[in-house]
């Protein structure tokens, strides 16, 4: 259980560090943003407290120094500078290293000491000036004050009723509830009431169990998020509730009314007890389930509110608000993957059920099959939505990458993101990280020029790399563009000749020259560096994108910049497909690529090769005969059909024996036997247990256009 709780802490801490990087980069652009400063402070405070709770003492001690620095920033003593952001980004990276090294090695501890020293040296001059300013201000206030007055409480304070009910096993999970209560009391003025009615005799106590619970009345200027952060790593069996107390309406409230507010007794019960004209406390204990400790807690709340009001020169009642309930829960990605696998199995099962209903011709079974299909379709869509994440979750990582590359290359580069809210399957997002890193590094190194070169060319000395995403049907288009020098096609061509990739007399179009950069080992870098020049990267990018079932295209305008456009499918798990037959075998065409189905009437009546042409709606379309492509045995049917598909750029026709109909397709990876066959992207299991291969429309389109070019060049 302790390992499980540690895993939860590490996951939460990693998420906080991921968000922290984006917050620091945003703070560098807007150093006066108090909300961002507060967010950075809260992140450090949460990591520090939680690390101490789970035994990561080195992380807690190290983070304390950064938290202290940003506390000074919050109070206006220390300014936000480029240097401070550099220190904090380094500290953020170091915390990651400390989290995976527990206990900490001497080498890591030395790094910790060095970074802490950097923070201390940075804040020292400001702390000295700040102390002097505070002393001067105090003198001025003392001299100008006509007479001593009782300090008034801040107008932004809010009073909270916090009920903490830890599980009996909470300490076995590594959580120390007493420290949580202590941290709460440090947020403001607090009244703590412990509950110990479940405390057994000493002889029956289990030292590893928690028998206490607490009510805390807290008056603080901190936000609700700050208070909730104290309990961020609480286990699922423990309960904590937060409720605002309206100080204005709570003034002079009696114990019974407070208990009604706390939902521990209803108004009718209270009125009935009051009518008996006895001591209310005695009646509550005798006639209701209210315990003495609950009454003591209500008394403590009453005294707390009275004290707060008496200390406040100008009490400012706050409106009663119903606390918002957190409607989201954290689910591990492994469980989501398992859910999708199970949904996929249900889709396959339903296909078999539908096939059985069709074969047996039972109306009741057919009806059940149709109902099952609707339910599974709804379950599939819900499950897929759960896996969809905004692509901005990885976009934010690259701002740091561009910042570091700018410093390393001596360039001034700004990163702009667009369409960060575009959603994509989490599995696809995870596999996009490495290709995007390669493309952004390439844009920074080869694309954007140095400031002096840009000025000489009449450009803004600050270059721009734009990362954008948008939906295009069942695909997402991700563009990495820069406003740099563009691709030097003559240089690329010469490199291609040097490496033997092309011949000197080959006549290549601009797009064919651009494609050379995706060849293994190709590089135009003059020298090898940590960023580029080793001839590895762009071929890996294309291979990874192809593995995802996507494509990559290049647009480049010399002197004005380049753009790499990735076309990525929304999901890799389940798709809607069109089932077709060719010979004795069945195949699936992704429905998102299908435009229409027609009877096959070739322009050339004698066409019997792999490629032919048809006229569809006045458009002359090339076609590929899949029977000939796969070398199917047997005679073709007298009436063949053609499925017109698009690859977002052009249309082609796929000639098949017969179109069977729509089919929910659970995509399975191809085995080694089929991995080198062009035009296939996966397989699926049909209702009768047989396997159907899935066409890769983009690869088939490339085959058709290549065969057309070969025919033209003959």
């Amino acid at each position: 259980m302790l390992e499980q709780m540690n895993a939860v802490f590490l996951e939460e801490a990693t998420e906080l560090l991921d968000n922290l990087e984006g917050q620091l980069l945003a703070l560098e652009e807007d150093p006066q943003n108090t909300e961002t400063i507060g967010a950075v402070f809260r992140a450090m405070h949460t990591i520090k407290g939680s690390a101490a709770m789970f035994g990561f003492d080195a992380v807690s001690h190290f983070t304390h120094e950064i938290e202290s620095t940003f506390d000074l920033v919050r109070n206006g003593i220390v300014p936000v500078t480029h240097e401070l952001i550099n220190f904090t980004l380094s500290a953020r990276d170091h915390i990651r290293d400390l989290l995976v090294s527990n206990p900490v090695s001497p080498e890591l501890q030395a790094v910790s000491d060095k970074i802490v020293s950097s923070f201390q040296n940075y804040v020292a001059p400001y702390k000295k000036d700040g102390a002097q300013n505070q002393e001067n201000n105090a003198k001025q206030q003392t001299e100008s004050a006509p007479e001593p007055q009782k300090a008034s409480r801040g107008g932004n304070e809010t009073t909270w009723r916090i009920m903490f009910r830890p599980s009996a096993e909470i300490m076995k999970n590594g959580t120390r509830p007493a420290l949580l209560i202590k941290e709460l009391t440090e947020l403001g003025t607090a009244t703590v009431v412990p509950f110990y009615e479940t405390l057994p005799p000493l002889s029956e106590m289990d030292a590893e169990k928690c028998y206490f619970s607490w009510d805390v009345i807290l008056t603080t200027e901190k936000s609700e998020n700050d208070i909730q952060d104290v309990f961020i790593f609480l286990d699922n069996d423990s309960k904590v509730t937060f409720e605002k107390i309206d100080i204005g309406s709570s003034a002079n409230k009696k114990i019974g009314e407070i208990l009604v507010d706390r939902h521990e007794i209803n108004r009718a019960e209270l009125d009935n007890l009051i009518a008996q004209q006895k001591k209310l406390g005695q009646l509550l204990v005798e006639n209701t389930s209210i315990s003495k400790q609950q009454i003591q807690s209500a008394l403590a709340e009453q005294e707390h509110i009275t004290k707060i009001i008496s200390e406040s020169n100008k009490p400012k009642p706050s409106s009663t608000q119903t606390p918002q309930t957190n409607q989201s829960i954290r689910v591990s990605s492994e469980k989501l993957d398992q859910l999708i696998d199970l949904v996929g199995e249900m889709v396959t099962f339903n296909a078999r059920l539908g096939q059985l209903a069709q074969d047996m011709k039972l109306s009741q079974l057919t009806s059940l099959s149709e109902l099952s299909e609707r339910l599974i379709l709804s379950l599939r869509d819900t499950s897929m939505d759960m896996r969809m994440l905004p692509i901005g979750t990885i976009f934010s990582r690259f701002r740091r990458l561009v910042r570091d590359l700018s410093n390393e290359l001596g360039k001034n580069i700004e990163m702009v993101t667009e369409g960060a809210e575009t959603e994509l399957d989490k599995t696809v997002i995870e596999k996009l990280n490495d290709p995007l890193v390669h493309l952004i590094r390439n844009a920074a190194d080869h694309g954007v020029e140095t400031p002096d070169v840009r000025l000489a060319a009449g450009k803004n000395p600050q270059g721009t790399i734009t990362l954008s995403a948008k939906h295009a049907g069942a695909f997402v288009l991700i563009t990495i563009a820069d406003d740099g020098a563009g691709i030097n096609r003559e240089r690329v061509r010469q490199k291609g000749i040097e490496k033997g990739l092309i011949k000197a007399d080959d006549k290549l179009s601009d797009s064919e020259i651009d494609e050379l950069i995706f060849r293994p080992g190709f590089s135009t870098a003059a020298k090898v560096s940590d960023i580029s020049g080793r001839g590895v990267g762009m071929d890996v990018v294309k291979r990874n994108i192809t593995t995802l079932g996507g494509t990559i295209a290049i647009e480049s305008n010399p002197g004005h910049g380049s753009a790499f456009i990735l076309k990525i499918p929304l999901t890799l798990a389940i798709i809607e497909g069109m089932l077709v037959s060719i010979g004795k075998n069945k195949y699936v065409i992704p429905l998102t690529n299908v435009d229409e189905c027609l009877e096959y009437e070739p322009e050339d009546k004698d066409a019997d090769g792999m490629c032919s042409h048809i006229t569809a709606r006045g458009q002359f379309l090339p076609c590929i005969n899949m029977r000939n492509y796969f070398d199917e045995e047997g005679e073709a049917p007298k009436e063949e059909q053609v499925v017109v598909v698009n690859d977002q750029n052009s249309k082609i026709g796929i000639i098949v024996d017969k179109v069977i109909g729509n089919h929910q397709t659970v995509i399975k990876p191809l085995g080694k036997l089929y991995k080198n066959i062009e035009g296939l992207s996966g397989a699926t299991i049909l209702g009768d247990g047989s396997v159907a291969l899935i066409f890769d429309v983009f690869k088939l389109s490339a085959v058709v256009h290549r065969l057309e070019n070969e025919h033209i060049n003959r």
Side-chain angles (χ1 to χ4, degrees), residues 293-308:
Q293 288 180 320
Q294 286 175 302
I295 294 175
Q296 289 173 356
S297 180
L299 280 168
E301 180 176 327
Q302 185 184 53
E303 292 173 3
H304 182 99
I305 292 171
T306 302
K307 180 181 178 183
I308 293 298

Side-chain angles (χ1 to χ4, degrees), residues 306-368:
T306 302
K307 180 181 178 183
I308 293 298
I309 292 175
S310 66
E311 290 181 0
S312 181
N313 290 337
K314 295 181 179 180
K316 199 171 185 178
S318 59
S319 60
T320 303
Q321 295 181 4
T322 303
Q324 295 183 351
T325 305
N326 190 357
Q327 298 294 333
S328 63
I329 60 173
R330 182 180 298 277
V331 180
S332 69
S333 59
E334 291 80 8
K335 288 183 179 179
L336 284 179
D337 292 339
Q338 186 180 13
L339 175 62
I340 291 297
D341 290 341
L342 291 173
V343 171
E345 294 300 325
M346 291 179 69
V347 170
T348 302
F349 163 78
N350 190 71
R352 297 185 66 180
L353 180 63
Q355 185 70 44
L356 181 64
Q358 185 177 353
D359 294 343
M360 298 183 68
K361 298 181 180 179
L362 293 175
S363 59
Q364 288 182 327
L365 191 57
T366 302
S367 177
L368 287 174

Side-chain angles (χ1 to χ4, degrees), residues 19 96 102 117 130 133 138 231-232 290 337 358 366 369 371 500 525 631 670:
N19 294 336
R96 275 187 176 276
N102 195 28
S117 178
N133 290 337
F231 300 95
I232 192 170
I290 301 293
D337 292 339
Q358 185 177 353
T366 302
S369 173
L371 175 60
D631 199 19
L670 289 173

Side-chain angles (χ1 to χ4, degrees), residues 39 71 80 100 123 223 263 287 341 394 410 438 465 484 497 509 539 545 547 610 713:
D71 191 31
V80 175
V100 297
V123 303
S223 68
H263 310 294
N287 299 297
D341 290 341
I394 60 170
H438 279 300
I465 294 177
I497 295 171
S509 64
D539 60 314
I545 297 302
T547 303
M610 195 175 296
N713 293 331

Side-chain angles (χ1 to χ4, degrees), residues 600-609 611-614 620:
Y600 177 49
E601 297 178 358
E603 291 294 314
D604 182 0
K605 299 297 182 183
D606 299 324
D608 59 356
C611 285
S612 59
H613 293 83
I614 63 169
F620 195 63

Side-chain angles (χ1 to χ4, degrees), residues 72-140:
L72 296 172
V73 174
R74 286 198 312 167
N75 294 323
I77 298 172
V78 172
V80 175
T81 63
H82 179 75
E83 186 180 14
L84 177 61
I85 297 297
N86 280 340
F87 289 153
T88 314
L89 285 171
S90 298
R92 176 256 181 203
D93 295 342
H94 185 59
I95 293 172
R96 275 187 176 276
D97 296 335
L98 292 175
L99 287 172
V100 297
S101 301
N102 195 28
V104 174
S105 66
E107 292 79 11
L108 277 178
Q109 186 58 51
V111 175
S112 295
D113 295 340
K114 182 178 179 182
I115 295 176
V116 166
S117 178
S118 299
F119 276 97
Q120 291 173 341
N121 293 335
Y122 178 81
V123 303
Y126 300 108
K127 288 176 72 175
K128 183 178 179 181
D129 293 343
Q132 185 64 48
N133 290 337
Q134 287 180 350
E135 184 179 347
N136 294 338
N137 290 338
K139 287 181 179 179
Q140 291 175 4

Side-chain angles (χ1 to χ4, degrees), residues 110 207 223 325 339 358 459 470-471 548 581 605 617 693 697:
S223 68
T325 305
L339 175 62
Q358 185 177 353
K459 292 183 176 182
K470 64 178 181 180
H471 284 293
L548 288 172
S581 65
K605 299 297 182 183
R617 305 189 185 282
L693 299 174
V697 170

